[in-house]
Amino acid sequence: MKPVKKKKTEEPELEPLCCCEYIDRNGEKNHVAACLCDCQDLDEGCDRWLTCKSLRPETCERITDTISDRLRIPWLRGAKKVNISIVPPLVLLPVFLHVASWHFLLGVVVLTSLPMLALWYYYLTHRRKEQTLFFLSLGLFSLGYMYYVFLREVVPQGRVGPAQLALLTFGLFLILLALYRAKKNPGYLSNPACNDKSPSNSQIECPAKKGQEKTKGFPGTDTSGSLNNRALKDDVRGSSRAGLDSPAKAKEDWCAKCQLVRPARAWHCRICGICVRRMDHHCVWINSCVGESNHQAFILALSVFLLTSVYGISLTLSTICRDRSLFTALFYCPGVYASYSSALSFTCVWYSVIITAGMAYIFLIQLINISYNVTEREVQQALRQKTGRRLLCGLIVDTGQYNRGFLRNWLQFSTLGTRTVHTLAEDIV
């Protein structure tokens, strides 16, 4: 008698998600309509708020995590999560600008408080070393909203010609194109433990996921593997330190978080969690680092933005404040609050002036650093260690380490990202 073959038990297939369903952070199926249901932390927070009691910090963090997890939009094959930091600029910026256009004093208060709120949020996220899309959302939405107000309130008055409108639109397109290029890989140093050679945004957490096992070796190794890896790391560190004595070799350093040897002028970004070649700084406006591969695109985006912004401001002021020079119209434009359309346009002009002034300062600092062949990270380190030469009340900091003269410094900057990529940091394990 032939033995009966047992049929393999087939695992039940998971039901496909509809456009409004998703898997929450607890691994359970949830629905977009139930975004505020079954949240004990939120109920407790509301009860304590109604009874005028203070909330515990851990309760606030759990409420924030729950809201950020349930804030989703319907999408094909499941609702997609929306980063909560994108939402405030989309809601608050139009409200603040419309309130500021009601009266001159309201405009002064609102336009003064906006930079302060942005700086407060920047220092809050910078202190926590967290990535945020707030400033990227604010920048992109400001561009779109200023262009919308220009088309709706300024162009219908007939003072802007088709060629001027086309030139302004072309400048806006160039800004977006340069920002897209600046958002690309700034020159990440690949982790030998990762399979892919060029890490993307999703792979940035591979070297060190929020301080993942700082004393251990690469992910997936056991205790013995960690010990061997640590010993190998010490050997590599010793060989790299020995190589420092040779003047022909560039200075290199071992990064314990990324488990690799950094070439000269590379640095580990605490916010992105990865090392970047010739790292200048972490820019919150593009939510990425500025390094060897995207520094030129960053400078291009700043220059195009400044030119386009000044051109748009001049077109708007020449329309709502006629027969006056641009500088005079900016500070004295009688009758501008007589109509809501001109008041809103004037408020948007002053908002654009504030943003443009901030970006012009960043652009000036970048031009000075490039002229002296220093990065912002090297400037901050020289100021802390008091090793740099300060000029013009600290506006210029010359470390003297890589300065080869004005023309040679700019020539080197123009060739960034074109030289052959070093293989030492990627090959050493």
Side-chain angles (χ1 to χ4, degrees):
M1 186 175 180
K2 295 182 180 180
V4 181
K5 292 183 180 180
K6 294 182 180 180
K7 295 183 179 180
K8 295 182 180 180
T9 57
E10 297 181 356
E11 297 180 358
E13 296 182 358
L14 295 177
E15 297 181 0
L17 299 176
C18 72
C19 62
C20 296
E21 293 179 337
Y22 63 94
I23 305 299
D24 60 13
R25 60 194 180 110
N26 298 323
E28 300 176 355
K29 183 183 291 188
N30 211 330
H31 198 275
V32 174
C35 57
L36 298 178
C37 299
D38 299 330
C39 183
Q40 297 179 357
D41 295 324
L42 186 59
D43 295 338
E44 179 186 354
C46 292
D47 293 339
R48 296 182 69 89
W49 179 73
L50 292 175
T51 55
C52 299
K53 296 181 180 178
S54 60
L55 287 175
R56 292 187 292 270
E58 56 272 13
T59 304
C60 296
E61 292 180 2
R62 289 197 299 267
I63 292 175
T64 304
D65 294 340
T66 302
I67 293 176
S68 61
D69 182 57
R70 297 186 179 186
L71 185 62
R72 297 174 182 260
I73 57 175
W75 203 257
L76 298 176
R77 297 181 181 180
K80 296 295 183 180
K81 187 177 180 179
V82 178
N83 195 313
I84 195 173
S85 61
I86 299 177
V87 179
L90 307 181
V91 178
L92 297 180
L93 182 61
V95 173
F96 283 158
L97 292 180
H98 280 277
V99 170
S101 61
W102 290 349
H103 194 270
F104 170 75
L105 294 179
L106 283 175
V108 172
V109 172
V110 170
L111 293 177
T112 305
S113 61
L114 279 178
M116 295 181 180
L117 291 175
L119 287 175
W120 170 79
Y121 186 78
Y122 168 75
Y123 284 113
L124 180 65
T125 55
H126 186 73
R127 183 178 59 185
R128 295 180 179 179
K129 302 179 181 62
E130 296 177 351
Q131 279 193 331
T132 176
L133 294 176
F134 176 85
F135 294 97
L136 179 61
S137 173
L138 177 62
L140 293 178
F141 185 68
S142 297
L143 287 174
Y145 192 72
M146 294 303 105
Y147 187 70
Y148 167 77
V149 172
F150 184 82
L151 293 179
R152 183 180 176 86
E153 307 294 345
V154 179
V155 174
Q157 298 188 25
R159 301 273 296 184
V160 178
Q164 295 172 323
L165 180 59
L167 184 59
L168 185 65
T169 306
F170 181 69
L172 182 63
F173 174 76
L174 287 182
I175 294 174
L176 297 177
L177 189 62
L179 284 176
Y180 173 76
R181 177 62 186 85
K183 277 284 293 178
K184 285 190 173 183
N185 189 341
Y188 294 126
L189 288 172
S190 302
N191 188 344
C194 298
N195 294 327
D196 297 333
K197 294 184 179 179
S198 57
S200 59
N201 292 336
S202 61
Q203 297 166 329
I204 288 177
E205 298 180 357
C206 182
K209 292 185 178 180
K210 297 181 180 180
Q212 174 189 11
E213 303 171 353
K214 292 183 180 180
T215 60
K216 296 182 180 180
F218 297 118
T221 58
D222 55 1
T223 307
S224 60
S226 301
L227 295 175
N228 295 334
N229 203 13
R230 190 182 298 112
L232 182 58
K233 178 189 72 174
D234 295 335
D235 294 340
V236 174
R237 183 187 298 178
S239 62
S240 64
R241 294 296 182 188
L244 293 179
D245 299 333
S246 176
K249 256 196 168 184
K251 182 181 179 181
E252 296 173 348
D253 193 15
W254 173 265
C255 179
K257 295 182 179 179
C258 293
Q259 301 284 307
L260 52 80
V261 176
R262 291 193 303 253
R265 312 189 76 176
W267 199 258
H268 183 87
C269 178
R270 297 176 297 175
I271 299 177
C272 294
I274 196 170
C275 289
V276 181
R277 297 183 186 277
R278 198 186 179 276
M279 177 180 172
D280 188 82
H281 68 287
H282 181 90
C283 181
V284 295
W285 294 104
I286 62 175
N287 192 32
S288 177
C289 290
V290 177
E292 183 180 81
S293 300
N294 67 340
H295 202 169
Q296 296 174 350
F298 179 74
I299 296 297
L300 178 62
L302 281 177
S303 58
V304 175
F305 170 79
L306 291 176
L307 293 175
T308 306
S309 179
V310 171
Y311 185 65
I313 290 172
S314 62
L315 290 178
T316 305
L317 287 178
S318 63
T319 301
I320 62 177
C321 299
R322 303 178 182 180
D323 302 328
R324 292 184 182 274
S325 63
L326 296 180
F327 186 79
T328 304
L330 188 61
F331 292 95
Y332 181 70
C333 186
V336 72
Y337 285 93
S339 64
Y340 185 75
S341 175
S342 60
L344 180 61
S345 301
F346 189 72
T347 303
C348 291
V349 163
W350 262 106
Y351 174 75
S352 302
V353 167
I354 294 174
I355 299 296
T356 305
M359 295 301 167
Y361 175 76
I362 297 176
F363 185 65
L364 176 63
I365 295 298
Q366 288 290 314
L367 294 182
I368 293 175
N369 290 346
I370 295 171
S371 301
Y372 284 86
N373 199 3
V374 294
T375 63
E376 188 63 26
R377 182 66 186 83
E378 294 167 353
V379 167
Q380 298 301 326
Q381 189 176 17
L383 291 178
R384 284 196 301 266
Q385 299 177 357
K386 298 181 180 180
T387 57
R389 186 166 59 98
R390 302 181 63 179
L391 304 172
L392 295 179
C393 300
L395 186 63
I396 301 175
V397 178
D398 182 17
T399 61
Q401 186 175 4
Y402 300 102
N403 190 1
R404 300 295 181 267
F406 181 82
L407 294 179
R408 289 186 178 181
N409 293 339
W410 275 97
L411 179 62
Q412 180 183 357
F413 177 78
S414 63
T415 58
L416 281 181
T418 58
R419 62 175 179 266
T420 305
V421 178
H422 304 284
T423 58
L424 181 61
E426 290 83 5
D427 295 340
I428 294 181
V429 179

